[in-house]
Amino acid sequence: IQEPQLQGQDVGMQCEDDRTGIGVETLKRAFLDNLFYVQGKFPALATKHDYYMALAYTVRDRLLQRWVNTAAIYTQEGSRTVAYLSAEFLMGPHLGNNLINLGIYNQVQQAMTELKLDLKELLAKEEEPGLGNGGLGRLAACYLDSLASLEIPTLGYGIRYEFGIFDQIIRNGWQVEKTDKWLRYGNPWEIARPEWAVSVKFGGRTEAHKNAQGRYQVRWVPHKVVLGIPYDTPILGYKVNTANTLRLWKAEAPESFDFEAFNRGNYYGAVDQKVTSENLTKVLYPNDETYEGKQLRLEQQYFFVSCALQDMLRIMLRQKLPLEQFHEKFAVQLNDTHPAIAVAELMRLLLDEHEMDWEPAWEITQKTFGYTNHTLLPEALEKWSLKLFSSLLPRHLEIIYEINWRFLEQVRHKFGTDEGRIGRLSLIDENDGKFVRMAHLACVGSHRINGVAELHSELLKKTTLLDFYEFFPEKFTNVTNGVTPRRWIVLSNPKLANLITSCIGDSWIKHLEDVQQIETFAQDPGFQKEWQQIKRENKVNVASILLDRTGVKVDPDSLFDIQVKRIHQYKRQHLNILHAITLYNQIKQNPNLDITPRTLIFAGKAAPGYYIAKLIIKLIDSVADVVNKDPDIGDRLKVVFLPDYNVKNSQPIYPAADLSEQISTAGKEASGTGNMKFAMNGALTIGTLDGANIEIRNAVGAENFFLFGLTTEDVGALRLTGYRPWEYYEANPQLKQAIDQIASGYFSHGDRRLFKPLVDLLLDKDPFMLMADYQPYIDCQQQVSQTYRDRDRWLQMSILNTARMGKFSSDRAIREYCQQIWKVKPVPVQLAAAKTGDG
Ligand code: AZC
C-alpha cells in the first residue's frame, strides 16, 4: 500500500472549535460531548471514571492538534531525531501533566467546578502506566518531558507491557504482590498503529545464499516470527506546540488463528501460537538492579529493539533518505544495557537486509549509539549464556563474534598481547561458563558512554569500565541526572509553585536556574511565614493520606523524615530503622525526654525474589507497630510504611517532607533522583557523599545539608584493612541494644527466628557497612533535631535548598545530552505554519 504523502495544508484547524478551544465554555461543551459520544453516557448514569475518560479525551483532542502538526513538520524537514531506547518508561498519570503543559489547568478546573465536578477526584481516577521499576524508568519519563519542552524531535521506544510493576499491598507486615491490570478500563492516551506493524524473528539457523549480484550474503531462517504492533502516546512539551511520540510495542501472533489446527479439531491448539506470542509483552520484570538470565527477558529486549530499528528504517525510506545517513538522521540512546542488542541488530539489518559492507555498516553503527550506565552493582551487569543466546539469536551471535574479533585485534595493536586485558575486554566472558557481556557490546558499539552523576562517571572509569576507559578514553563523559520541574514542582506542589511565581514570575518553570531569585526572600519574615504555611498544608495532606491508607495518625507539626525509593540493602532503609529504634529507646529510658517530635515515613517496593529486602519491610512494619502503640511514646515518634509506592502516590510526598533520607553506602547509588525532587520542594537532606548528593550539597551549600558517614575511599580502605562489624556493635551500647532487641524478638512478639537472617548479615558481613556508619548517622540526626527547633534557621535553609536546585532540572541534563552526545538542535513547531504549509 502506498502511504499518502503528508501535506501541511491537510492538517490543523482554522478556528477555535470543540476539539481545540480552551475557553471554559468550549471545554465544558467538549467534555459533555465526549461523555456522550465516546463514553456513551449522560450525566445521570455517568461514573467518576466516565467523567475521567471524557476529560482525558477532551485533553487528548487538544494534544492531537499539536501532535499531528509536529509530525508534519518533522516529516517536511526530515529533522534529526533522538531515539531513546528504554525497556522501561515510568510515566505516571498523564492527565494532570498534560493540563500543566497545555497551560489549561485553571480553565479545566473552573469548567469542572461549573459542572459540579471535582477535578482532583477525576485526576485520582487515572490508573498510571507503571511500565518501569524505579530510577532508570522514571528518568526516561522526565527526559521525554524535557525533550518535548526543548522542542527536540524525539521518539521514545519501549515495550507496552500488559501488566506493569506489581501493586504492593502489605499483609501482616509482609509485602504481597498483585497484578497491575492498568489497561483494564482502557487507555485514552494511546493510539494503535497496526499499519506500521513489523515482524521480529527468533531462533532457527543461518545460511549462506548468493544475492542478485552474485555476492554471498547471510540469510536468517527463524524458528518463529512475532508481530510488533506500535501504540503511540503523545508527549507534549511545556507551553510549546511540540508533541513528540512515545512508541511502545505489543507482541502479537502473525496469524492469530491456526485454521489447520482448528480443522484437525484442535481448538485450543488453534489459538496456542497467539497465546505464546502475546506472552512476550505480558509483564514487566520487577527486578531493580539485578538481572535475571531468563529467556523471556532476552526475547523482550530483542523484540522492542528490533521493532524500533525497523521503524527507524521505515521512516528513513519514507523520507527518501539513504541508509548511509542513518547516524545523521537518528541519535540512538541506550538506556542501560537492556537495549544493547541494538548494536548487533543494526549491523544485521544493514548487512543482511540492506546488503551493506561491514566497514561502512560498523561506522554508521558506532556513530549512531550512545550508552548510559545506571549502576555499578555487579549483579546488575547483564550477561547471557551462549547457549541461550545462540538458540534465540543465532545470527546476532555470529555478528558479535565478528565485532569481538575485530575489536580485540585493535586492542592487540594498541597494547600488545596482554592476555589478561584481552580477556577482561572481550565481549565474551569465559571465566565460568560462556556468556555474552552486554555492557561490553554497548561500549564497543557506541561513540559515547556516560554515567549519571560526577562521582558515578569517575567510578565507572576507575572500576567497572576501566579497561574500556584505557582503550578509548575519548568516549567517556558524564551527564548528571535531572528531574522535570513541571511534574515535580508545578503539578505536585501547586501552592509552592504559586508562591514562587508571585515573587519572581514564572520563567523558572522553563528555566529552573531562575528560581535562584527567591534567595533574596530567604530571610524575609513574610515570605518565610508563607513558605512554612505551605509546607504545613502539604504535611496535613499527607497526614490524611497516611490515616486513610494505614490507620496511623501522625502530627503535622512533627518533623516529617521521609525515605521513599526501592527497598535495597545498599540504600539502607535498615539504617534508618536503627535510628528509629534508638529514638524509641531514648524516650523509653527517659520518659520526660524533650525531643523534637518526628514522623518517619517509608515507602517502596521490594523485588519479589529479594528476600532480605522483603524482610526489611517486615522490620519497618514491626518496629512501627511497637512504637506507634506505645503510650509512653505518644506523638514524639511515629513510624509509618505507606504501601504501593508509585508515581501517583509519590506526588504528594515530596512537597510534605522536612527531611530527605539519602543514606546509601558511599559509591553505591549511581545518582538518585528522589534526592533532587525532595530538595526542590524545600526538604533538607541528610545524606552520604554518594551519587548526586555530592553535587546537591555543592549547589545548596554545605551549611544547608546534613552530611555524615564514610566516603567512597573510606569504604574501600576499610574493606582492605579488614572490616569487622561486630566490633562496632560490641563497642556501642545504643547500637548493641537496638540490634539485640531485633534479635531477641522485641519487635516480633518474641519470635527470635524472624529477623535472624538480617541480624546475622549485619554482624557478620555487613556488606553495606551500617555498623560503621551508625554512630555518625545518629549524631547527624541529633543535629537535624536541634536545627529543626530553630524555625527561622530551618526555613531559611529550606528556601535556599529550593533556590539553588536549578542545576537539577532535566532540561539542563537534556541540553547536555544534546550538546555532548546527540548533536541535535530544536525544531520549533508553529501550528499556523503547518496549516498553510509555508513553514
Ligand atoms: C538507577 C540508579 O540506581 C539511580 O541511582 C539513578 O538515579 C537512576 O538509575 C537513574 O539514572 N538504576 C536503575 O534504576 N536500574 C539499573 C539497572 O541500574
Side-chain angles (χ1 to χ4, degrees):
I1 299 169
Q2 181 75 42
E3 283 195 36
Q5 283 298 306
L6 202 54
Q7 293 291 308
Q9 48 270 42
D10 295 339
V11 296
M13 297 294 168
Q14 296 300 330
C15 60
E16 170 162 321
D17 70 0
D18 279 11
R19 303 243 175 178
T20 58
I22 56 171
V24 174
E25 288 309 313
T26 316
L27 287 166
K28 277 158 64 178
R29 203 171 50 239
F31 170 77
L32 292 172
D33 194 68
N34 279 324
L35 183 68
F36 192 96
Y37 285 104
V38 182
Q39 284 305 97
K41 288 278 182 79
F42 53 92
L45 275 190
T47 63
K48 285 275 151 57
H49 184 261
D50 290 323
Y51 285 125
Y52 158 71
M53 291 294 270
L55 182 55
Y57 281 111
T58 306
V59 170
R60 194 182 91 171
D61 287 339
R62 277 131 194 92
L63 293 181
L64 276 168
Q65 182 198 19
R66 288 163 177 80
W67 201 15
V68 174
N69 275 280
T70 302
I73 287 179
Y74 292 171
T75 307
Q76 278 165 28
E77 307 205 345
S79 315
R80 176 161 170 81
T81 300
V82 173
Y84 200 85
L85 265 59
S86 181
E88 305 186 9
F89 285 93
L90 194 44
M91 300 301 291
H94 289 291
L95 178 56
N97 197 246
N98 283 329
L99 292 177
I100 301 283
N101 285 9
L102 275 167
I104 62 168
Y105 196 100
N106 292 336
Q107 292 95 302
V108 167
Q109 187 158 43
Q110 192 188 331
M112 293 302 106
T113 309
E114 289 178 17
L115 292 170
K116 306 259 176 322
L117 292 167
D118 179 357
L119 175 59
K120 283 231 171 66
E121 264 183 28
L122 303 191
L123 289 170
K125 282 286 152 196
E126 179 167 353
E127 184 109 39
E128 76 170 74
L131 309 186
N133 275 286
L136 145 172
R138 181 55 230 177
L139 186 78
C142 283
Y143 282 0
L144 290 187
D145 181 83
S146 285
L147 281 156
S149 298
L150 294 172
E151 306 176 300
I152 306 292
T154 304
L155 278 159
Y157 282 110
I159 300 174
R160 183 177 176 278
Y161 301 105
E162 186 178 339
F163 305 125
I165 187 69
F166 60 86
D167 294 334
Q168 178 195 55
I169 59 172
I170 302 295
R171 193 182 290 153
N172 188 26
W174 294 99
Q175 167 176 298
V176 176
E177 300 91 21
K178 294 272 171 221
T179 311
D180 161 50
K181 299 184 178 151
W182 71 288
L183 289 166
R184 193 169 17 181
Y185 303 113
N187 173 9
W189 303 105
E190 67 183 9
I191 295 182
R193 308 284 192 197
E195 67 276 23
W196 293 331
V198 298
S199 301
V200 180
K201 303 181 224 180
F202 290 96
R205 58 189 167 78
T206 62
E207 61 185 28
H209 70 101
K210 263 193 191 159
N211 71 2
Q213 288 77 45
R215 195 173 85 153
Y216 274 107
Q217 291 285 139
V218 179
R219 178 193 289 142
W220 176 12
V221 186
H223 165 70
K224 75 170 175 189
V225 176
V226 174
L227 271 192
I229 316 287
Y231 284 71
D232 288 358
T233 301
I235 306 295
L236 180 69
Y238 177 71
K239 292 193 180 167
V240 290
N241 295 315
T242 299
N244 287 325
T245 297
L246 171 60
R247 183 161 289 165
L248 302 179
W249 299 87
K250 175 183 194 279
E252 279 187 11
E255 187 65 69
S256 66
F257 200 80
D258 180 346
F259 275 98
E260 255 179 68
F262 185 68
N263 292 336
R264 288 195 305 269
N266 182 359
Y267 179 76
Y268 286 98
V271 287
D272 196 46
Q273 203 197 352
K274 179 172 161 67
V275 172
T276 40
S277 296
E278 292 184 359
N279 274 344
L280 229 150
T281 50
K282 188 65 72 181
V283 59
L284 166 75
Y285 277 92
N287 304 318
D288 187 57
E289 306 185 39
T290 23
Y291 88 100
E292 245 188 73
K294 289 266 163 48
Q295 171 163 343
L296 185 61
R297 174 69 173 176
L298 181 57
E299 288 181 16
Q300 288 183 339
Q301 295 182 350
Y302 176 62
F303 168 75
F304 95 87
V305 160
S306 180
C307 288
L309 288 170
Q310 291 188 60
D311 195 56
M312 289 179 236
L313 290 174
R314 174 187 62 79
I315 291 168
M316 292 206 64
L317 293 178
R318 190 171 87 175
Q319 296 185 6
K320 303 199 167 56
L321 297 167
L323 291 183
E324 287 69 26
Q325 288 173 20
F326 190 88
H327 59 288
E328 288 163 25
K329 172 67 184 171
F330 289 107
V332 182
Q333 195 65 21
L334 306 174
N335 199 25
D336 217 277
T337 54
H338 314 145
I341 187 63
V343 172
E345 173 68 355
L346 181 57
M347 284 300 284
R348 185 191 70 83
L349 290 166
L350 296 177
L351 294 172
D352 298 356
E353 314 248 321
H354 297 278
E355 306 195 348
M356 208 180 268
D357 289 335
W358 183 279
E359 284 78 11
W362 183 238
E363 196 181 320
I364 290 168
T365 298
Q366 280 187 311
K367 286 182 174 167
T368 296
F369 292 108
Y371 160 51
T372 306
N373 174 288
H374 292 270
T375 182
L376 297 161
L377 298 188
E379 61 269 31
L381 287 179
E382 292 191 294
K383 50 180 200 174
W384 298 103
S385 80
L386 283 195
K387 187 163 174 275
L388 171 59
F389 204 96
S390 61
S391 74
L392 210 58
L393 303 170
R395 177 59 182 142
H396 297 78
L397 189 57
E398 293 172 0
I399 291 170
I400 286 171
Y401 282 150
E402 179 76 21
I403 295 172
N404 198 34
W405 184 82
R406 289 168 182 251
F407 168 58
L408 295 179
E409 275 301 298
Q410 290 180 316
V411 174
R412 287 192 186 95
H413 187 75
K414 179 157 179 175
F415 292 112
T417 35
D418 172 349
E419 287 308 319
R421 186 190 293 270
I422 286 166
R424 294 196 303 276
L425 280 167
S426 173
L427 305 197
I428 308 297
D429 179 347
E430 307 193 34
N431 291 322
D432 183 19
K434 290 196 176 184
F435 298 91
V436 182
R437 295 161 157 167
M438 300 311 274
H440 294 215
L441 180 61
C443 284
V444 174
S446 302
H447 68 290
R448 282 286 183 285
I449 301 163
N450 76 286
V452 290
E454 281 165 17
L455 173 69
H456 170 62
S457 295
E458 285 308 308
L459 291 174
L460 272 179
K461 294 192 284 187
K462 283 189 192 144
T463 61
T464 317
L465 300 180
L466 169 65
D467 291 302
F468 287 95
Y469 178 60
E470 288 177 349
F471 187 67
F472 23 58
E474 69 286 353
K475 286 192 185 185
F476 283 74
T477 183
N478 169 250
V479 183
T480 299
N481 284 167
V483 300
T484 169
R486 271 74 65 181
R487 182 176 293 270
W488 298 111
I489 305 178
V490 181
L491 180 61
S492 303
N493 200 347
K495 288 171 184 156
L496 194 77
N498 286 335
L499 174 63
I500 296 171
T501 297
S502 72
C503 292
I504 63 167
D506 66 1
S507 68
W508 62 275
I509 300 173
K510 257 187 169 310
H511 304 278
L512 194 60
E513 317 81 62
D514 291 355
V515 80
Q516 178 112 40
Q517 292 164 28
I518 66 166
E519 266 201 39
T520 45
F521 302 91
Q523 299 187 53
D524 174 325
F527 186 82
Q528 282 192 351
K529 193 155 169 265
E530 286 186 71
W531 193 269
Q532 177 175 15
Q533 186 57 33
I534 288 166
K535 183 63 80 181
R536 192 170 189 287
E537 287 169 19
N538 292 335
K539 288 165 73 176
V540 167
N541 179 39
V542 162
S544 91
I545 293 171
L546 292 176
L547 182 61
D548 184 49
R549 311 235 172 110
T550 70
V552 179
K553 194 161 171 285
V554 306
D555 175 8
D557 290 315
S558 62
L559 189 164
F560 275 25
D561 173 349
I562 310 188
Q563 187 172 23
V564 289
K565 48 181 82 240
R566 288 294 288 246
I567 312 293
H568 231 292
Q569 289 181 81
Y570 84 78
K571 295 177 190 279
R572 301 200 294 191
Q573 281 90 356
H574 44 341
L575 180 59
N576 192 345
I577 220 58
L578 286 176
H579 175 239
I581 297 172
T582 305
L583 288 178
Y584 169 81
N585 289 333
Q586 286 170 358
I587 302 173
K588 290 298 274 187
Q589 273 144 33
N590 181 0
N592 297 319
L593 191 68
D594 177 25
I595 70 157
T596 306
R598 287 210 193 211
T599 300
L600 267 62
I601 301 170
F602 294 85
K605 291 171 183 173
Y610 188 172
Y611 178 69
I612 291 287
K614 289 180 143 179
L615 196 55
I616 291 173
I617 295 178
K618 176 67 176 168
L619 177 63
I620 295 169
D621 186 86
S622 306
V623 171
D625 211 42
V626 169
V627 169
N628 297 344
K629 285 183 183 148
D630 192 324
D632 295 350
I633 302 298
D635 269 352
R636 283 177 292 181
L637 179 62
K638 286 276 182 294
V639 179
V640 201
F641 188 92
L642 177 69
D644 201 31
Y645 186 65
N646 58 21
V647 175
K648 189 185 191 174
N649 292 331
S650 78
Q651 285 177 192
I653 302 278
Y654 296 106
D658 294 307
L659 187 67
S660 155
E661 297 272 352
Q662 307 301 336
I663 59 177
S664 50
T665 316
K668 298 292 176 192
E669 188 69 273
S671 161
T673 45
N675 47 3
M676 301 168 187
K677 296 165 197 166
F678 277 115
M680 276 180 194
N681 283 283
L684 306 192
T685 305
I686 183 166
T688 48
L689 283 178
D690 201 14
N693 294 354
I694 299 171
E695 290 159 76
I696 292 174
R697 178 167 171 267
N698 289 340
V700 305
E703 68 286 6
N704 299 308
F705 187 105
F706 296 99
L707 176 71
F708 76 96
L710 302 171
T711 63
T712 306
E713 292 76 42
D714 294 340
V715 167
L718 193 51
R719 192 98 45 234
L720 269 174
T721 55
Y723 175 52
R724 291 175 293 278
W726 60 92
E727 290 183 358
Y728 295 87
Y729 158 86
E730 292 289 358
N732 187 328
Q734 283 195 110
L735 173 58
K736 185 166 188 310
Q737 183 185 10
I739 298 278
D740 288 348
Q741 284 168 318
I742 299 172
S744 70
Y746 188 93
F747 300 108
S748 47
H749 309 282
D751 183 347
R752 293 161 165 272
R753 275 188 324 201
L754 181 59
F755 297 119
K756 191 167 188 306
L758 197 53
V759 170
D760 287 350
L761 197 60
L762 289 179
L763 294 182
D764 181 23
K765 298 257 168 10
D766 189 18
F768 299 99
M769 298 195 166
L770 281 78
M771 299 296 105
D773 270 343
Y774 170 82
Q775 196 56 48
Y777 180 55
I778 299 295
D779 294 343
C780 191
Q781 288 284 20
Q782 180 61 34
Q783 263 187 54
V784 170
S785 289
Q786 285 299 329
T787 312
Y788 193 68
R789 287 167 172 242
D790 183 348
R791 300 301 292 167
D792 290 356
R793 167 98 196 285
W794 187 280
L795 278 167
Q796 191 192 328
M797 291 168 79
S798 164
I799 296 165
L800 290 179
N801 263 264
T802 301
R804 296 174 179 177
M805 284 297 288
K807 167 178 167 186
F808 301 94
S809 167
S810 44
D811 298 345
R812 185 271 314 151
I814 286 301
R815 281 199 191 91
E816 291 182 8
Y817 277 98
C818 288
Q819 285 157 17
Q820 296 180 37
I821 302 177
W822 301 330
K823 316 280 184 212
V824 48
K825 295 216 161 54
V827 177
V829 176
Q830 263 107 39
L831 295 185
K835 263 187 290 191
T836 57
D838 60 7

